[in-house]
Amino acid sequence: MGRVMRGFGVISGPLGRFLYPPVCAGCGGAVTRAAALCAPCWSGLHFIERPYCEVLGSPFSFDLGRGFLSAEAIAEPPVFARLRAAVIYGDLAGRLVASLKYSDRTDLVPLMAGWMSRGGRELIAEAGVVVPVPLHPGRLFRRRFNQSAELARALAGHERLPFAPVSLRRIRSTRSQVGLGPQERLANVRGAFLVPPERADDIRGRRVLLVDDVFTTGATVSAAARALKRAGAAEVDVLVFARVAADAR
């Protein structure tokens, strides 16, 4: 361990910065520090700010007053209480998510989790435990890590909240949601999650902050929230890095 830490010190010190200069997390261009974005990439991110729907966190084009809900939240109230996202899913946000998920860019976790912490401040203030959306064990073995768990771990550590990475399990292997329609997505994840009886005390009576990387139609987090509520969660809020714009789904 000491040898590893000394090696890390070299890499993170002046010699390391000379040999491995920091690059933009979005485009790979030169930047002044690691885990940062260059100015053009920064301007390409659409951070979600108020006004937005108090339930689904979808941004409004003009201020309708605090507490106003979107037509979608009124017509189809979600299983979870509230959703917040740091950014709107677009080209750059998609590249960041893909780099973390498929290219082992875990160095992006502090950057992305920091933005999530800012976007989900009110949810974090009321959270009793942080739970990531789990991968099925087979997919976790192939991918080697769960990107949602790494984001949740960073959030919980920074905010000093209990972290329960194994309190929710994916008990059924499902197809990737990519390319599926809304109804297919719902059917794909129905009954896919379970809180094991031996982990129920982690959840019971607590307000759970459920963490995922991307919100598209809400099928996955809704199925996960149902399992958490069946296990006795007082309520479930959802915090994601990026959400697809309501008019793009």
Side-chain angles (χ1 to χ4, degrees):
M1 175 63 76
R3 185 178 300 172
V4 171
M5 293 306 295
R6 286 195 296 272
F8 178 79
V10 170
I11 292 173
S12 61
L15 178 59
R17 288 193 294 272
F18 174 76
L19 295 174
Y20 305 100
V23 297
C24 171
C27 67
V31 291
T32 57
R33 59 184 177 86
L37 295 178
C38 66
C41 282
W42 178 264
S43 65
L45 279 179
H46 181 181
F47 288 92
I48 298 176
E49 307 279 357
R50 289 190 184 277
Y52 49 64
C53 171
E54 293 296 326
V55 170
L56 293 177
S58 47
F60 294 137
S61 55
F62 53 91
D63 196 347
L64 298 170
R66 194 69 175 254
F68 201 86
L69 303 184
S70 63
E72 182 181 5
I74 295 170
E76 296 184 36
V79 179
F80 50 84
R82 296 171 295 180
L83 168 79
R84 296 292 182 267
V87 300
I88 291 291
Y89 189 87
D91 289 343
L92 177 56
R95 289 202 302 274
L96 293 175
V97 168
S99 294
L100 172 59
K101 185 182 296 188
Y102 302 118
S103 300
D104 297 342
R105 288 290 307 276
T106 53
D107 58 298
L108 298 177
V109 167
L111 186 70
M112 296 166 70
W115 292 334
M116 291 169 69
S117 180
R118 175 178 174 271
R121 178 58 48 196
E122 59 190 314
L123 275 56
I124 291 168
E126 299 178 23
V129 62
V130 179
V131 175
V133 171
L135 293 176
H136 186 269
R139 184 166 294 174
L140 179 60
F141 177 78
R142 292 191 298 272
R143 195 176 288 172
R144 300 193 299 278
F145 75 99
N146 176 3
Q147 75 283 352
S148 299
E150 296 309 310
L151 292 170
R153 188 191 314 277
L155 279 165
H158 184 265
E159 303 296 338
R160 298 183 179 180
L161 288 169
F163 177 50
V166 296
S167 296
L168 181 66
R169 294 181 185 169
R170 193 183 290 244
I171 57 174
R172 186 166 60 80
S173 182
T174 58
R175 295 171 55 195
S176 169
Q177 297 280 68
V178 176
L180 299 182
Q183 295 307 311
E184 291 174 310
R185 285 172 176 258
L186 288 170
N188 190 40
V189 294
R190 187 174 294 121
F193 300 99
L194 173 73
V195 175
E198 67 272 18
R199 307 302 307 192
D201 286 345
D202 298 343
I203 303 302
R204 189 178 295 115
R206 290 182 167 184
R207 192 173 191 109
V208 176
L209 183 63
L210 181 65
V211 174
D212 205 1
D213 54 353
V214 177
F215 177 91
T216 305
T217 64
T220 299
V221 293
S222 293
R226 286 190 183 92
L228 291 165
K229 294 182 79 170
R230 282 197 300 269
E235 195 51 89
V236 179
D237 291 318
V238 179
L239 180 58
V240 301
F241 170 65
R243 64 158 295 142
V244 175
D247 57 2
R249 287 185 276 155

